[in-house]
């Protein structure tokens, strides 16, 4: 998600994070909200917030002295086929792709954090980050997981994320998802 106004570019993986900058107002985009109500809203272009755009998958933004430009860098190839191979061959191809996808997101001079819900995908990514760190191919610092807790709600997966954290021996910052201030500033850095 991003906002481009008054020569200021803001971006975040979730729209609410943009409003940590109090100069940006969290006003609804009424057309997007109406589309959402009738189940015609697609998180592409205008978001549910006025002045906040959702970047379409396969696109990138370039922001420089000339302004903001959006370009497409990837599109699916419906005719691409994998070569026929054994189940073990497909498993190895998936493992290599997964390791490469995680590795390409670990270029950082600062410690790495992962969003850990406790589900299979976020647990696998967090474990792979730690595996790459342990083998010397990943980050130097241990991973810190960030987990959203939903308290007694049935969707809460804290027990699962706690198991992953214990197994990997990493730190975990748990944020109460029902606390709006904590959601805007999970590490307590805003004034």
């Amino acid at each position: 998600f991003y906002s481009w106004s008054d020569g200021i570019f803001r971006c975040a993986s979730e729209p609410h994070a943009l409003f940590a900058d109090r100069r940006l107002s969290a006003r609804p985009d009424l057309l997007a909200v109406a589309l959402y109500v009738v189940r015609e809203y697609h998180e592409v272009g205008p978001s549910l917030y006025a002045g906040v755009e959702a970047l379409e998958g396969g696109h990138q933004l370039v922001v420089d002295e000339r302004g903001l430009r959006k370009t497409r860098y990837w599109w699916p190839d419906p005719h691409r086929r994998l070569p026929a191979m054994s189940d073990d061959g497909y498993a190895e191809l998936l493992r290599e792709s997964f390791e490469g996808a995680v590795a390409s997101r670990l270029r950082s001079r600062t410690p790495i954090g992962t969003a850990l819900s406790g589900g299979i995908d976020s647990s696998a990514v967090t474990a792979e980050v730690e595996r790459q760190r342990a083998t010397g191919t990943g980050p130097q610092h241990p991973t810190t997981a960030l987990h959203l807790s939903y308290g007694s709600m049935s969707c809460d997966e804290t027990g699962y994320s706690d198991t992953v954290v214990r197994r990997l021996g990493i730190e975990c910052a748990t944020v109460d998802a029902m606390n709006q201030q904590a959601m805007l500033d999970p590490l307590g850095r805003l004034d």
Side-chain angles (χ1 to χ4, degrees):
F1 293 89
Y2 65 95
S3 169
W4 175 253
S5 61
D6 301 324
I8 299 172
F9 176 73
R10 301 166 185 91
C11 66
S13 58
E14 297 291 332
H16 62 267
L18 297 170
F19 305 116
D21 181 344
R22 291 182 174 89
R23 294 173 294 181
L24 188 62
S25 174
R27 294 176 294 110
D29 180 312
L30 297 180
L31 176 58
V33 171
L35 290 170
Y36 180 83
V37 169
V38 296
R39 298 184 182 193
E40 292 296 325
Y41 172 73
H42 304 284
E43 215 162 57
V44 174
S47 74
L48 295 172
Y49 298 96
V52 174
E53 300 280 322
L55 185 62
E56 185 177 359
H59 286 71
Q60 65 184 359
L61 290 176
V62 175
V63 181
D64 60 19
E65 65 278 352
R66 294 178 289 173
L68 183 139
R69 294 181 312 285
K70 181 171 65 170
T71 59
R72 186 174 193 145
Y73 68 87
W74 179 85
W75 50 93
D77 179 357
H79 304 291
R80 181 173 182 243
R81 298 287 182 254
L82 292 175
M85 59 180 81
S86 67
D87 288 349
D88 288 344
Y90 287 124
E92 179 62 20
L93 183 60
L94 175 61
R95 185 188 62 75
E96 289 173 2
S97 296
F98 179 69
E99 288 176 358
V102 171
S104 72
R105 288 155 177 85
L106 297 180
R107 295 182 298 259
S108 175
R109 293 182 184 173
T110 59
I112 298 292
T114 63
L116 178 62
S117 70
I120 293 172
D121 53 353
S122 66
S123 297
V125 168
T126 302
E128 179 59 21
V129 171
E130 273 302 288
R131 187 196 67 77
Q132 291 186 25
R133 184 190 68 77
T135 60
T137 60
Q140 295 176 349
H141 303 284
T143 305
T144 298
L146 176 63
H147 174 71
L148 297 179
S149 170
Y150 292 89
S152 61
M153 295 176 68
S154 63
C155 63
D156 186 66
E157 296 182 319
T158 301
Y160 299 116
S161 66
D162 287 349
T163 300
V164 172
V165 166
R166 276 193 309 275
R167 172 70 173 90
L168 297 175
I170 61 175
E171 295 293 320
C172 183
T174 299
V175 176
D176 178 356
M178 308 313 282
N179 180 325
Q180 185 177 15
Q181 181 60 32
M183 291 296 291
L184 285 173
D185 185 26
L187 301 178
R189 295 182 182 165
L190 296 177
D191 52 67

